[in-house]
Amino acid sequence: MAIYRPSEARQQKGQTAPEEPNLVPIMNLFVTIIPFLMLMIVLSQVAMIAMNFESSGETGGAGDGTGGGGSEELIEIRLYASEHATGLFPGFEIRDVDRSVTKIPKVGDVYDFASLQQMLVQLKDKYPNKSEIAVVVYPDVMYDTLIRTIDLSKQNGFVTVKYMNPKQMYYY
Amino acid sequence: MSSQNSTNKKKGTRRVRRKTEETRGLSITSLLDVLTIILVFLIKNVSMEAVKISELPDMHYPTTITDEKLLDNPEVVPVKLYQDRVLFGIDNLSMGTPDDIISDANKRDAMRQYFEREMANIPADKKDKACLVVQADAFLRCIYLTEIIRVATYANFPNIYFATIEDPDWLSDFRPASPQ
């Protein structure tokens, strides 16, 4: 027969199963935080294309499309839609700083972005230090076409894109 | 005899109490595990930016490879150009239709006043952080964009952003033809 000292016997009698921690306050906290975070969550965020319009006139601006009026000669990408005057064509026209012109007409109803991409790669190889390019947009060109053109320019190292309008000339 | 009867009666009415089992507390540990995982996911994705430029469900965005970030702590003025309406600012102030901003001089003047007022509300030390964010439908003509940019630059907006949807593969749909 085992003999316990009175204190040991009392301790054995008092032992119970360990209690689970009370998780209810933590649950309350979580249930409050989660709806709050769900309100702030942005699951589909849009991308951005930046254009700088600094007052110095060096980087961007809705110019008049005369091209090369500044201190540095610019490469121009002209975007034409189909409705323009005689002599113009639907597609891209790239005017190099040496005044040579490359035409990339539409293929069917679609602008030939793949050829534009090739052309921009060649231009970057030719002028590795150039980071500016001008995009001259005719009014009827679709916004989607403009954005894709700016996108390709930026992808090929022409990070500063000048947004220009063609010079409107009226003959009476 | 009567005492025996009363004893039997008592026996019949005696209720036997069942030993009730102690109800066990609902285990919320597994629920807590799930909530912890969700919490981590939400904290990772939450945006603490003051201005959220999120995708508008009823707008067809152009796609781009480029995704440039907004300036730090920008002062954002959003402009939404739909095919049938133009909305300015966070409060979606209506400026009529896209054709109105070309044909109606009053609308253009209202647009200019709006941009100038927004610029005036921006503190002087944050004017260089003013950003006009244009969210426009991909199938709008550029004439509308040009007009908005012209008025915004007139009001001295230094930064203009175009909202797009990022798609790194959009160019793969195009095959090159020989340039003339």
Side-chain angles (χ1 to χ4, degrees):
Chain A
M1 187 179 168
I3 300 168
Y4 296 103
R5 287 186 294 158
S7 59
E8 278 183 352
R10 192 163 58 246
Q11 276 177 5
Q12 279 181 355
K13 196 178 177 183
Q15 273 183 350
T16 53
E19 281 186 11
E20 281 188 20
N22 185 10
L23 298 175
V24 175
I26 302 169
M27 281 288 296
N28 289 342
L29 185 70
F30 275 34
V31 169
T32 313
I33 289 173
I34 285 173
F36 175 71
L37 289 175
M38 284 181 89
L39 281 176
M40 295 173 73
I41 197 168
V42 179
L43 287 174
S44 58
Q45 200 160 13
V46 292
M48 292 284 172
I49 288 238
M51 299 196 83
N52 252 332
F53 291 84
E54 288 172 6
S55 55
S56 65
E58 289 178 354
T59 52
D64 61 0
T66 48
S71 57
E72 191 186 359
E73 293 287 329
L74 280 174
I75 302 164
E76 278 183 22
I77 305 174
R78 290 182 167 251
L79 277 77
Y80 303 128
S82 54
E83 302 95 310
H84 295 307
T86 313
L88 302 182
F89 66 99
F92 301 109
E93 184 182 284
I94 293 140
R95 296 188 179 183
D96 204 336
V97 289
D98 59 9
R99 297 290 166 203
S100 62
V101 174
T102 307
K103 293 179 176 178
I104 306 173
K106 272 183 171 179
V107 181
D109 272 349
V110 183
Y111 283 86
D112 189 358
F113 288 105
S115 296
L116 178 66
Q117 163 72 7
Q118 288 180 345
M119 193 69 211
L120 285 167
V121 170
Q122 287 171 22
L123 284 169
K124 194 64 194 174
D125 289 344
K126 195 173 171 184
Y127 308 107
N129 295 325
K130 262 200 184 301
S131 61
E132 286 187 16
I133 201 161
V135 176
V136 184
V137 188
Y138 276 72
D140 293 328
V141 173
M142 289 294 160
Y143 172 61
D144 183 56
T145 310
L146 165 70
I147 289 295
R148 285 174 194 249
T149 306
I150 295 171
D151 187 28
L152 286 184
S153 303
K154 286 184 178 262
Q155 285 299 312
N156 287 289
F158 298 102
V159 288
T160 307
V161 180
K162 285 192 172 187
Y163 183 92
M164 289 179 163
N165 302 313
K167 199 173 216 175
Q168 302 283 346
M169 298 181 98
Y170 298 97
Y171 297 96
Y172 295 98
Chain B
M1 183 75 180
S2 61
S3 65
Q4 197 178 356
N5 279 342
S6 64
T7 313
N8 286 341
K9 199 175 183 182
K10 274 183 185 174
K11 263 188 181 176
T13 55
R14 186 180 173 188
R15 290 180 183 171
V16 179
R17 285 185 184 171
R18 282 184 191 168
K19 192 179 179 182
T20 53
E21 286 182 12
E22 279 185 20
T23 52
R24 296 178 65 186
L26 185 69
S27 175
I28 52 174
T29 311
S30 55
L31 184 61
L32 199 68
D33 292 345
V34 173
L35 287 176
T36 308
I37 292 164
I38 293 172
L39 190 71
V40 171
F41 171 77
L42 289 175
I43 287 173
K44 184 191 169 290
N45 284 285
V46 78
S47 167
M48 289 293 176
E49 288 169 11
V51 178
K52 285 189 291 186
I53 303 294
S54 50
E55 189 181 344
L56 300 170
D58 48 351
M59 185 172 279
H60 188 277
Y61 287 89
T63 49
T64 57
I65 305 163
T66 311
D67 179 13
E68 289 168 304
K69 299 294 171 207
L70 281 175
L71 299 170
D72 291 334
N73 302 317
E75 295 286 336
V76 173
V77 177
V79 171
K80 301 175 188 96
L81 268 103
Y82 292 89
Q83 294 276 357
D84 56 347
R85 63 193 189 280
V86 182
L87 304 173
F88 274 35
I90 297 162
D91 301 328
N92 290 331
L93 182 71
S94 176
M95 287 281 170
T97 65
D99 282 329
D100 287 343
I101 61 172
I102 302 300
S103 59
D104 190 345
N106 291 331
K107 287 283 179 200
R108 280 202 300 277
D109 196 46
M111 204 162 74
R112 179 185 58 78
Q113 284 177 13
Y114 177 84
F115 285 142
E116 285 178 346
R117 198 168 54 244
E118 287 293 319
M119 273 305 280
N121 289 339
I122 296 170
D125 59 326
K126 296 189 86 180
K127 289 222 188 278
D128 59 331
K129 298 277 181 92
C131 298
L132 186 80
V133 177
V134 180
Q135 293 178 278
D137 193 283
F139 300 110
L140 271 175
R141 291 188 301 150
C142 282
I143 190 168
Y144 309 121
L145 265 299
T146 304
E147 192 57 33
I148 283 178
I149 289 169
R150 191 183 66 77
V151 179
T153 47
Y154 182 81
N156 295 322
F157 267 90
N159 308 295
I160 297 183
Y161 288 83
F162 296 122
T164 64
I165 295 290
E166 196 176 1
D167 178 9
D169 301 322
W170 71 261
L171 191 61
S172 61
D173 298 338
F174 294 88
R175 295 276 176 277
S178 56
Q180 291 180 0

mmCIF file of all heavy atoms in Angstrom, chain A residues 44-89:
data_model
loop_
_atom_site.group_PDB
_atom_site.id
_atom_site.type_symbol
_atom_site.label_atom_id
_atom_site.label_comp_id
_atom_site.label_asym_id
_atom_site.label_seq_id
_atom_site.Cartn_x
_atom_site.Cartn_y
_atom_site.Cartn_z
ATOM 1 N N SER A 44 -8.628 43.628 -58.721
ATOM 2 C CA SER A 44 -8.257 43.897 -60.109
ATOM 3 C C SER A 44 -7.872 45.352 -60.239
ATOM 4 O O SER A 44 -8.723 46.230 -60.280
ATOM 5 C CB SER A 44 -9.424 43.585 -61.036
ATOM 6 O OG SER A 44 -10.532 44.351 -60.653
ATOM 7 N N GLN A 45 -6.600 45.605 -60.226
ATOM 8 C CA GLN A 45 -6.111 46.958 -60.310
ATOM 9 C C GLN A 45 -5.661 47.230 -61.740
ATOM 10 O O GLN A 45 -5.091 46.363 -62.384
ATOM 11 C CB GLN A 45 -4.952 47.154 -59.338
ATOM 12 C CG GLN A 45 -4.719 48.590 -59.011
ATOM 13 C CD GLN A 45 -3.935 48.757 -57.731
ATOM 14 O OE1 GLN A 45 -3.373 47.806 -57.214
ATOM 15 N NE2 GLN A 45 -3.881 49.962 -57.223
ATOM 16 N N VAL A 46 -5.919 48.449 -62.192
ATOM 17 C CA VAL A 46 -5.550 48.775 -63.566
ATOM 18 C C VAL A 46 -4.060 49.102 -63.642
ATOM 19 O O VAL A 46 -3.445 49.471 -62.649
ATOM 20 C CB VAL A 46 -6.378 49.964 -64.092
ATOM 21 C CG1 VAL A 46 -7.822 49.593 -64.268
ATOM 22 C CG2 VAL A 46 -6.234 51.176 -63.193
ATOM 23 N N ALA A 47 -3.511 48.932 -64.824
ATOM 24 C CA ALA A 47 -2.129 49.345 -65.060
ATOM 25 C C ALA A 47 -2.150 50.819 -65.468
ATOM 26 O O ALA A 47 -3.208 51.385 -65.730
ATOM 27 C CB ALA A 47 -1.534 48.480 -66.155
ATOM 28 N N MET A 48 -0.980 51.418 -65.522
ATOM 29 C CA MET A 48 -0.898 52.844 -65.850
ATOM 30 C C MET A 48 0.168 53.092 -66.902
ATOM 31 O O MET A 48 1.208 52.428 -66.911
ATOM 32 C CB MET A 48 -0.511 53.653 -64.603
ATOM 33 C CG MET A 48 -1.577 53.680 -63.546
ATOM 34 S SD MET A 48 -2.908 54.781 -63.986
ATOM 35 C CE MET A 48 -4.045 54.377 -62.685
ATOM 36 N N ILE A 49 -0.124 54.042 -67.756
ATOM 37 C CA ILE A 49 0.882 54.553 -68.698
ATOM 38 C C ILE A 49 1.045 56.028 -68.363
ATOM 39 O O ILE A 49 0.062 56.769 -68.380
ATOM 40 C CB ILE A 49 0.406 54.377 -70.153
ATOM 41 C CG1 ILE A 49 0.460 52.903 -70.525
ATOM 42 C CG2 ILE A 49 1.178 55.248 -71.101
ATOM 43 C CD1 ILE A 49 1.305 52.559 -71.695
ATOM 44 N N ALA A 50 2.250 56.398 -68.025
ATOM 45 C CA ALA A 50 2.480 57.776 -67.591
ATOM 46 C C ALA A 50 2.920 58.652 -68.742
ATOM 47 O O ALA A 50 3.643 58.212 -69.629
ATOM 48 C CB ALA A 50 3.545 57.790 -66.504
ATOM 49 N N MET A 51 2.453 59.883 -68.697
ATOM 50 C CA MET A 51 2.955 60.882 -69.636
ATOM 51 C C MET A 51 3.298 62.112 -68.821
ATOM 52 O O MET A 51 2.500 62.546 -67.997
ATOM 53 C CB MET A 51 1.908 61.218 -70.686
ATOM 54 C CG MET A 51 1.525 60.026 -71.498
ATOM 55 S SD MET A 51 0.666 60.467 -72.989
ATOM 56 C CE MET A 51 2.016 60.847 -74.068
ATOM 57 N N ASN A 52 4.464 62.627 -69.046
ATOM 58 C CA ASN A 52 4.894 63.811 -68.317
ATOM 59 C C ASN A 52 4.608 65.047 -69.144
ATOM 60 O O ASN A 52 4.924 65.095 -70.313
ATOM 61 C CB ASN A 52 6.400 63.732 -68.040
ATOM 62 C CG ASN A 52 6.668 63.470 -66.591
ATOM 63 O OD1 ASN A 52 5.875 63.841 -65.738
ATOM 64 N ND2 ASN A 52 7.773 62.825 -66.318
ATOM 65 N N PHE A 53 4.033 66.033 -68.505
ATOM 66 C CA PHE A 53 3.758 67.288 -69.205
ATOM 67 C C PHE A 53 4.385 68.413 -68.387
ATOM 68 O O PHE A 53 3.697 69.219 -67.787
ATOM 69 C CB PHE A 53 2.251 67.502 -69.356
ATOM 70 C CG PHE A 53 1.620 66.531 -70.301
ATOM 71 C CD1 PHE A 53 1.235 65.272 -69.871
ATOM 72 C CD2 PHE A 53 1.422 66.848 -71.625
ATOM 73 C CE1 PHE A 53 0.663 64.370 -70.728
ATOM 74 C CE2 PHE A 53 0.845 65.940 -72.492
ATOM 75 C CZ PHE A 53 0.471 64.709 -72.037
ATOM 76 N N GLU A 54 5.707 68.386 -68.381
ATOM 77 C CA GLU A 54 6.396 69.410 -67.585
ATOM 78 C C GLU A 54 6.395 70.719 -68.342
ATOM 79 O O GLU A 54 6.407 70.757 -69.565
ATOM 80 C CB GLU A 54 7.836 68.968 -67.295
ATOM 81 C CG GLU A 54 7.864 67.830 -66.288
ATOM 82 C CD GLU A 54 9.239 67.246 -66.113
ATOM 83 O OE1 GLU A 54 10.184 67.803 -66.695
ATOM 84 O OE2 GLU A 54 9.347 66.225 -65.425
ATOM 85 N N SER A 55 6.423 71.801 -67.573
ATOM 86 C CA SER A 55 6.334 73.121 -68.191
ATOM 87 C C SER A 55 7.573 73.490 -69.004
ATOM 88 O O SER A 55 7.542 74.382 -69.821
ATOM 89 C CB SER A 55 6.108 74.180 -67.114
ATOM 90 O OG SER A 55 7.124 74.065 -66.150
ATOM 91 N N SER A 56 8.697 72.786 -68.741
ATOM 92 C CA SER A 56 9.917 73.089 -69.488
ATOM 93 C C SER A 56 9.767 72.762 -70.966
ATOM 94 O O SER A 56 10.525 73.261 -71.790
ATOM 95 C CB SER A 56 11.085 72.291 -68.908
ATOM 96 O OG SER A 56 10.868 70.919 -69.094
ATOM 97 N N GLY A 57 8.789 71.929 -71.271
ATOM 98 C CA GLY A 57 8.566 71.576 -72.672
ATOM 99 C C GLY A 57 9.498 70.506 -73.176
ATOM 100 O O GLY A 57 9.509 70.183 -74.351
ATOM 101 N N GLU A 58 10.300 69.953 -72.269
ATOM 102 C CA GLU A 58 11.250 68.939 -72.709
ATOM 103 C C GLU A 58 10.625 67.552 -72.783
ATOM 104 O O GLU A 58 11.040 66.734 -73.579
ATOM 105 C CB GLU A 58 12.438 68.893 -71.745
ATOM 106 C CG GLU A 58 13.323 70.114 -71.880
ATOM 107 C CD GLU A 58 14.453 70.084 -70.894
ATOM 108 O OE1 GLU A 58 14.479 69.180 -70.048
ATOM 109 O OE2 GLU A 58 15.308 70.979 -70.967
ATOM 110 N N THR A 59 9.664 67.319 -71.930
ATOM 111 C CA THR A 59 9.113 65.968 -71.877
ATOM 112 C C THR A 59 7.607 65.997 -72.006
ATOM 113 O O THR A 59 6.903 66.063 -71.032
ATOM 114 C CB THR A 59 9.478 65.276 -70.554
ATOM 115 O OG1 THR A 59 9.090 66.149 -69.507
ATOM 116 C CG2 THR A 59 10.945 64.981 -70.455
ATOM 117 N N GLY A 60 7.185 65.922 -73.179
ATOM 118 C CA GLY A 60 5.756 65.766 -73.410
ATOM 119 C C GLY A 60 5.030 67.071 -73.613
ATOM 120 O O GLY A 60 5.591 68.146 -73.553
ATOM 121 N N GLY A 61 3.738 66.930 -73.863
ATOM 122 C CA GLY A 61 2.910 68.094 -74.098
ATOM 123 C C GLY A 61 2.103 67.901 -75.356
ATOM 124 O O GLY A 61 2.537 67.239 -76.282
ATOM 125 N N ALA A 62 0.934 68.460 -75.341
ATOM 126 C CA ALA A 62 0.088 68.346 -76.526
ATOM 127 C C ALA A 62 0.532 69.396 -77.533
ATOM 128 O O ALA A 62 0.008 70.496 -77.595
ATOM 129 C CB ALA A 62 -1.365 68.539 -76.140
ATOM 130 N N GLY A 63 1.535 69.071 -78.272
ATOM 131 C CA GLY A 63 2.125 70.042 -79.182
ATOM 132 C C GLY A 63 1.342 70.146 -80.476
ATOM 133 O O GLY A 63 0.261 69.585 -80.629
ATOM 134 N N ASP A 64 1.928 70.869 -81.426
ATOM 135 C CA ASP A 64 1.199 71.088 -82.672
ATOM 136 C C ASP A 64 1.624 70.139 -83.782
ATOM 137 O O ASP A 64 1.140 70.224 -84.896
ATOM 138 C CB ASP A 64 1.366 72.535 -83.145
ATOM 139 C CG ASP A 64 2.812 72.891 -83.427
ATOM 140 O OD1 ASP A 64 3.674 72.016 -83.263
ATOM 141 O OD2 ASP A 64 3.057 74.049 -83.814
ATOM 142 N N GLY A 65 2.535 69.242 -83.484
ATOM 143 C CA GLY A 65 2.876 68.220 -84.461
ATOM 144 C C GLY A 65 3.755 68.672 -85.589
ATOM 145 O O GLY A 65 3.886 67.994 -86.605
ATOM 146 N N THR A 66 4.384 69.819 -85.426
ATOM 147 C CA THR A 66 5.273 70.266 -86.492
ATOM 148 C C THR A 66 6.532 69.405 -86.535
ATOM 149 O O THR A 66 7.122 69.253 -87.590
ATOM 150 C CB THR A 66 5.668 71.739 -86.281
ATOM 151 O OG1 THR A 66 6.079 71.891 -84.926
ATOM 152 C CG2 THR A 66 4.475 72.634 -86.549
ATOM 153 N N GLY A 67 6.913 68.865 -85.392
ATOM 154 C CA GLY A 67 8.011 67.906 -85.353
ATOM 155 C C GLY A 67 9.365 68.555 -85.426
ATOM 156 O O GLY A 67 9.690 69.307 -86.322
ATOM 157 N N GLY A 68 10.189 68.233 -84.445
ATOM 158 C CA GLY A 68 11.567 68.677 -84.470
ATOM 159 C C GLY A 68 11.748 70.168 -84.283
ATOM 160 O O GLY A 68 12.755 70.724 -84.694
ATOM 161 N N GLY A 69 10.793 70.813 -83.665
ATOM 162 C CA GLY A 69 10.921 72.235 -83.447
ATOM 163 C C GLY A 69 11.836 72.588 -82.286
ATOM 164 O O GLY A 69 12.293 73.710 -82.176
ATOM 165 N N GLY A 70 12.108 71.639 -81.419
ATOM 166 C CA GLY A 70 12.900 71.897 -80.224
ATOM 167 C C GLY A 70 14.384 71.818 -80.511
ATOM 168 O O GLY A 70 14.825 71.803 -81.656
ATOM 169 N N SER A 71 15.135 71.748 -79.396
ATOM 170 C CA SER A 71 16.582 71.715 -79.544
ATOM 171 C C SER A 71 17.032 70.353 -80.084
ATOM 172 O O SER A 71 18.048 70.262 -80.756
ATOM 173 C CB SER A 71 17.230 72.005 -78.192
ATOM 174 O OG SER A 71 16.760 71.068 -77.243
ATOM 175 N N GLU A 72 16.265 69.309 -79.785
ATOM 176 C CA GLU A 72 16.648 67.967 -80.217
ATOM 177 C C GLU A 72 15.658 67.459 -81.265
ATOM 178 O O GLU A 72 14.442 67.595 -81.091
ATOM 179 C CB GLU A 72 16.625 67.034 -79.006
ATOM 180 C CG GLU A 72 17.267 65.695 -79.288
ATOM 181 C CD GLU A 72 17.093 64.735 -78.111
ATOM 182 O OE1 GLU A 72 16.492 65.130 -77.107
ATOM 183 O OE2 GLU A 72 17.542 63.593 -78.239
ATOM 184 N N GLU A 73 16.191 66.909 -82.321
ATOM 185 C CA GLU A 73 15.327 66.344 -83.353
ATOM 186 C C GLU A 73 14.663 65.084 -82.802
ATOM 187 O O GLU A 73 15.316 64.267 -82.157
ATOM 188 C CB GLU A 73 16.159 65.998 -84.585
ATOM 189 C CG GLU A 73 16.736 67.219 -85.300
ATOM 190 C CD GLU A 73 15.684 67.994 -86.064
ATOM 191 O OE1 GLU A 73 14.726 67.379 -86.535
ATOM 192 O OE2 GLU A 73 15.825 69.224 -86.173
ATOM 193 N N LEU A 74 13.405 64.954 -83.081
ATOM 194 C CA LEU A 74 12.649 63.822 -82.537
ATOM 195 C C LEU A 74 12.273 62.838 -83.636
ATOM 196 O O LEU A 74 12.001 63.235 -84.771
ATOM 197 C CB LEU A 74 11.358 64.308 -81.888
ATOM 198 C CG LEU A 74 11.441 64.880 -80.484
ATOM 199 C CD1 LEU A 74 10.091 65.437 -80.090
ATOM 200 C CD2 LEU A 74 11.853 63.805 -79.494
ATOM 201 N N ILE A 75 12.239 61.592 -83.246
ATOM 202 C CA ILE A 75 11.631 60.586 -84.122
ATOM 203 C C ILE A 75 10.117 60.731 -83.945
ATOM 204 O O ILE A 75 9.636 60.887 -82.819
ATOM 205 C CB ILE A 75 12.064 59.167 -83.711
ATOM 206 C CG1 ILE A 75 13.590 59.040 -83.741
ATOM 207 C CG2 ILE A 75 11.413 58.117 -84.588
ATOM 208 C CD1 ILE A 75 14.115 57.823 -83.006
ATOM 209 N N GLU A 76 9.406 60.692 -85.045
ATOM 210 C CA GLU A 76 7.948 60.833 -84.964
ATOM 211 C C GLU A 76 7.267 59.556 -85.429
ATOM 212 O O GLU A 76 7.652 58.987 -86.449
ATOM 213 C CB GLU A 76 7.468 61.955 -85.875
ATOM 214 C CG GLU A 76 7.589 63.335 -85.278
ATOM 215 C CD GLU A 76 7.024 64.391 -86.213
ATOM 216 O OE1 GLU A 76 6.198 64.052 -87.087
ATOM 217 O OE2 GLU A 76 7.426 65.541 -86.067
ATOM 218 N N ILE A 77 6.272 59.148 -84.689
ATOM 219 C CA ILE A 77 5.376 58.094 -85.179
ATOM 220 C C ILE A 77 4.042 58.781 -85.447
ATOM 221 O O ILE A 77 3.439 59.341 -84.530
ATOM 222 C CB ILE A 77 5.169 56.973 -84.154
ATOM 223 C CG1 ILE A 77 6.503 56.381 -83.713
ATOM 224 C CG2 ILE A 77 4.282 55.872 -84.729
ATOM 225 C CD1 ILE A 77 6.374 55.371 -82.586
ATOM 226 N N ARG A 78 3.637 58.770 -86.693
ATOM 227 C CA ARG A 78 2.352 59.392 -87.040
ATOM 228 C C ARG A 78 1.302 58.291 -87.175
ATOM 229 O O ARG A 78 1.557 57.284 -87.837
ATOM 230 C CB ARG A 78 2.475 60.192 -88.325
ATOM 231 C CG ARG A 78 3.317 61.435 -88.124
ATOM 232 C CD ARG A 78 3.438 62.307 -89.334
ATOM 233 N NE ARG A 78 3.986 63.589 -88.924
ATOM 234 C CZ ARG A 78 3.305 64.739 -88.877
ATOM 235 N NH1 ARG A 78 2.050 64.761 -89.278
ATOM 236 N NH2 ARG A 78 3.867 65.855 -88.473
ATOM 237 N N LEU A 79 0.192 58.511 -86.549
ATOM 238 C CA LEU A 79 -0.904 57.534 -86.602
ATOM 239 C C LEU A 79 -2.026 58.098 -87.446
ATOM 240 O O LEU A 79 -2.584 59.146 -87.109
ATOM 241 C CB LEU A 79 -1.442 57.248 -85.199
ATOM 242 C CG LEU A 79 -0.717 56.227 -84.353
ATOM 243 C CD1 LEU A 79 0.550 56.804 -83.763
ATOM 244 C CD2 LEU A 79 -1.608 55.766 -83.225
ATOM 245 N N TYR A 80 -2.296 57.421 -88.530
ATOM 246 C CA TYR A 80 -3.382 57.856 -89.401
ATOM 247 C C TYR A 80 -4.521 56.846 -89.339
ATOM 248 O O TYR A 80 -4.294 55.637 -89.311
ATOM 249 C CB TYR A 80 -2.913 57.946 -90.854
ATOM 250 C CG TYR A 80 -1.735 58.865 -91.089
ATOM 251 C CD1 TYR A 80 -0.609 58.412 -91.773
ATOM 252 C CD2 TYR A 80 -1.756 60.179 -90.643
ATOM 253 C CE1 TYR A 80 0.472 59.249 -92.008
ATOM 254 C CE2 TYR A 80 -0.677 61.025 -90.871
ATOM 255 C CZ TYR A 80 0.434 60.556 -91.554
ATOM 256 O OH TYR A 80 1.500 61.380 -91.784
ATOM 257 N N ALA A 81 -5.721 57.377 -89.374
ATOM 258 C CA ALA A 81 -6.883 56.500 -89.558
ATOM 259 C C ALA A 81 -7.279 56.573 -91.033
ATOM 260 O O ALA A 81 -6.611 57.229 -91.825
ATOM 261 C CB ALA A 81 -8.027 56.945 -88.657
ATOM 262 N N SER A 82 -8.323 55.899 -91.400
ATOM 263 C CA SER A 82 -8.638 55.762 -92.827
ATOM 264 C C SER A 82 -9.279 56.995 -93.447
ATOM 265 O O SER A 82 -9.250 57.173 -94.651
ATOM 266 C CB SER A 82 -9.560 54.562 -93.029
ATOM 267 O OG SER A 82 -10.676 54.703 -92.195
ATOM 268 N N GLU A 83 -9.823 57.866 -92.618
ATOM 269 C CA GLU A 83 -10.649 58.936 -93.187
ATOM 270 C C GLU A 83 -9.861 60.179 -93.573
ATOM 271 O O GLU A 83 -10.437 61.212 -93.817
ATOM 272 C CB GLU A 83 -11.734 59.359 -92.176
ATOM 273 C CG GLU A 83 -12.638 58.258 -91.730
ATOM 274 C CD GLU A 83 -12.166 57.635 -90.444
ATOM 275 O OE1 GLU A 83 -10.976 57.280 -90.358
ATOM 276 O OE2 GLU A 83 -12.972 57.506 -89.539
ATOM 277 N N HIS A 84 -8.558 60.099 -93.577
ATOM 278 C CA HIS A 84 -7.800 61.333 -93.764
ATOM 279 C C HIS A 84 -7.685 61.740 -95.217
ATOM 280 O O HIS A 84 -8.090 61.033 -96.132
ATOM 281 C CB HIS A 84 -6.422 61.193 -93.121
ATOM 282 C CG HIS A 84 -6.528 61.048 -91.647
ATOM 283 N ND1 HIS A 84 -7.223 61.930 -90.865
ATOM 284 C CD2 HIS A 84 -6.079 60.093 -90.823
ATOM 285 C CE1 HIS A 84 -7.176 61.537 -89.615
ATOM 286 N NE2 HIS A 84 -6.485 60.416 -89.566
ATOM 287 N N ALA A 85 -7.081 62.909 -95.362
ATOM 288 C CA ALA A 85 -7.016 63.551 -96.679
ATOM 289 C C ALA A 85 -6.198 62.724 -97.672
ATOM 290 O O ALA A 85 -5.475 61.804 -97.299
ATOM 291 C CB ALA A 85 -6.383 64.923 -96.526
ATOM 292 N N THR A 86 -6.325 63.077 -98.923
ATOM 293 C CA THR A 86 -5.606 62.382 -99.991
ATOM 294 C C THR A 86 -4.100 62.453 -99.731
ATOM 295 O O THR A 86 -3.583 63.477 -99.310
ATOM 296 C CB THR A 86 -5.914 63.065 -101.348
ATOM 297 O OG1 THR A 86 -7.314 63.254 -101.427
ATOM 298 C CG2 THR A 86 -5.426 62.228 -102.502
ATOM 299 N N GLY A 87 -3.433 61.391 -99.986
ATOM 300 C CA GLY A 87 -1.986 61.368 -99.769
ATOM 301 C C GLY A 87 -1.626 60.685 -98.468
ATOM 302 O O GLY A 87 -0.516 60.189 -98.309
ATOM 303 N N LEU A 88 -2.542 60.670 -97.531
ATOM 304 C CA LEU A 88 -2.308 59.948 -96.289
ATOM 305 C C LEU A 88 -2.901 58.558 -96.427
ATOM 306 O O LEU A 88 -3.683 58.281 -97.329
ATOM 307 C CB LEU A 88 -2.938 60.686 -95.115
ATOM 308 C CG LEU A 88 -2.465 62.122 -94.896
ATOM 309 C CD1 LEU A 88 -3.129 62.711 -93.674
ATOM 310 C CD2 LEU A 88 -0.959 62.183 -94.747
ATOM 311 N N PHE A 89 -2.524 57.689 -95.534
ATOM 312 C CA PHE A 89 -2.979 56.301 -95.630
ATOM 313 C C PHE A 89 -3.256 55.791 -94.220
ATOM 314 O O PHE A 89 -2.679 56.300 -93.258
ATOM 315 C CB PHE A 89 -1.884 55.453 -96.291
ATOM 316 C CG PHE A 89 -0.660 55.351 -95.436
ATOM 317 C CD1 PHE A 89 -0.447 54.231 -94.645
ATOM 318 C CD2 PHE A 89 0.268 56.386 -95.377
ATOM 319 C CE1 PHE A 89 0.651 54.153 -93.823
ATOM 320 C CE2 PHE A 89 1.365 56.295 -94.555
ATOM 321 C CZ PHE A 89 1.569 55.184 -93.786
#
